[in-house]
Amino acid sequence: MRPWGWAASPHKGKWQRSFGVLQAIQTFKKKVAEEPNDGANYLSILIDCFRSYNAEPTPSAYSFIIRYLFRRHMLSHLPPVLDHLEKAERFDVPERIFVSVIRSFGRENRLHDAVDIFRRIPNFRCTPSVISLNALLSVLCKSKEGLVLVGDVLLKTPEMNIRLEASTFRILIKALCRNGKLNSAIEILRMMSLHDCTPDAKLYSLVLCSLCIQAGSDQVVEFLEEMRNAGFLPNALEYNSVIDVLIREGKANDAYSFITLMRLEGKIPDITSYNSVLDGFILANDFQKADELFDEMLLIGLFPNSATYNTYINGLCKQDNLELSRQMITCMERAGCKPDIETFNTLLAGYAKAGGMAKAKELMNEAIDKGLQWNSHTYEILINGFISKGILQVN
């Protein structure tokens, strides 16, 4: 006896169809897995399996066979599947299928095929969006060959009624920075407002950091000012990157001005900031400013680390103040900062330059007593020192 109301249930037909589709998909997956060779007509298998259950192939079924063909690298079977999906089926194809196809073509380095399927999306009764566009751009932007195709893709987006979003610009700017096309990255950053998109702090930071690696100080400082005018104040790490660029170009005074700017903005320059500028002053032989900077660090409560002491000791050695340089090791230890082998190498180079090879040998032994091991730099300094003294044998 059937339960009451069963015959009149309005959901019976829908339930039966869903069950038939489920069985068709399971049968289809089984037949595909059992297929012994690559010569099978997978489209026919798909259609026959669904027909045997009086059902129509679903988006999920097409998604499965497309993924299967990519996974097995049987891409010669893909065109008839896509053509049938485009011309014979009547359902609206979900955009997620095209996103998957685009990414799969990208992994196969078939960039033109990825572009082609993107442009065909409307033919599949699907409205393309920024989701599929971003998927394509992510694929293209991974290689220089793909970057060449980006411009043409973007020109076609108005015809496809796709609105560019901040996420789209982020993909483009990252790719341009990665490939050293910084002027183009800055230009696109400035164009974002024309598309009702506002660059965020992360995008400005990305471009600034790329400039610090690849560009000169003039362009870096100019962009930094543009970033500040846009309302994004750099953090201490970003300021340190700018300082490093200036030090690299011998502009220690300009670098120090950014330490002052950081403090005016309420940021506390860290030991890395001061170490870089200290090194810049010593490289410029401006020892008075180096001394003033070292004192300033202590006054604001920064604790020098081994890099600070090594840099300061190098400055003392350049002034031939070797005894004070050696006393700095004691100062380091009292401050709880353990000297490393580079500390001794710096002193060793100072004594070797001054011809004090006996003192240099004492330092080497002291380093060993402190549990340090000589490195290649140690031997290089020692050998050069003995050669300069005309000593060919070392006792």
Side-chain angles (χ1 to χ4, degrees), residues 85-303:
L85 181 60
E86 176 185 348
K87 297 170 184 176
E89 298 294 354
R90 292 292 176 263
F91 58 79
D92 296 342
V93 182
E95 188 178 18
R96 57 179 169 78
I97 291 181
F98 301 106
V99 170
S100 176
V101 171
I102 288 168
R103 289 172 177 166
S104 297
F105 272 134
R107 285 190 290 270
E108 297 289 333
N109 200 33
R110 296 179 60 156
L111 304 181
H112 288 281
D113 288 331
V115 173
D116 179 65
I117 195 64
F118 169 73
R119 290 176 175 168
R120 286 173 61 189
I121 290 177
N123 300 343
F124 292 83
R125 303 159 302 284
C126 175
T127 302
S129 73
V130 72
I131 296 174
S132 51
L133 172 63
N134 285 355
L136 178 61
L137 292 178
S138 295
V139 164
L140 297 180
C141 287
K142 288 180 179 178
S143 66
K144 291 183 178 180
E145 297 80 6
L147 278 174
V148 176
L149 304 175
V150 167
D152 191 43
V153 169
L154 292 176
L155 286 174
K156 297 290 184 181
T157 53
E159 298 176 14
M160 300 175 73
N161 294 317
I162 299 177
R163 179 179 175 275
L164 304 185
E165 295 183 1
S167 56
T168 313
F169 289 102
R170 187 174 295 108
I171 293 169
L172 296 173
I173 290 171
K174 281 183 177 180
L176 291 168
C177 288
R178 189 169 58 246
N179 287 274
K181 300 181 181 296
L182 300 177
N183 289 331
S184 297
I186 294 171
E187 183 179 347
I188 287 182
L189 187 73
R190 292 167 179 165
M191 285 173 51
M192 288 181 66
S193 60
L194 301 178
H195 295 266
D196 297 323
C197 295
T198 303
D200 58 16
K202 289 184 179 179
L203 274 181
Y204 274 101
S205 177
L206 171 66
V207 176
L208 178 64
C209 291
S210 299
L211 286 169
C212 288
I213 295 171
Q214 304 176 48
S217 62
D218 289 344
Q219 190 174 8
V220 168
V221 172
E222 180 184 350
F223 183 79
L224 178 66
E225 189 61 26
E226 181 177 335
M227 179 176 176
R228 286 166 51 83
N229 289 337
F232 301 109
L233 299 181
N235 58 34
L237 185 62
E238 290 159 352
Y239 271 123
N240 285 346
S241 297
V242 174
I243 287 171
D244 286 341
V245 174
L246 292 165
I247 295 300
R248 206 162 56 221
E249 295 185 7
K251 300 178 179 179
N253 288 316
D254 291 340
Y256 179 71
S257 69
F258 280 101
I259 286 184
T260 304
L261 182 59
M262 289 170 70
R263 296 174 68 178
L264 289 173
E265 290 177 356
K267 299 180 178 66
I268 300 176
D270 58 19
I271 193 65
T272 303
S273 311
Y274 276 93
N275 282 350
S276 296
V277 179
L278 181 66
D279 189 43
F281 283 138
I282 288 174
L283 287 172
N285 295 324
D286 196 338
F287 303 114
Q288 180 179 345
K289 287 186 178 177
D291 287 336
E292 292 172 356
L293 188 69
F294 192 84
D295 291 340
E296 181 181 320
M297 292 168 56
L298 300 176
L299 285 172
I300 66 172
L302 278 178
F303 293 99

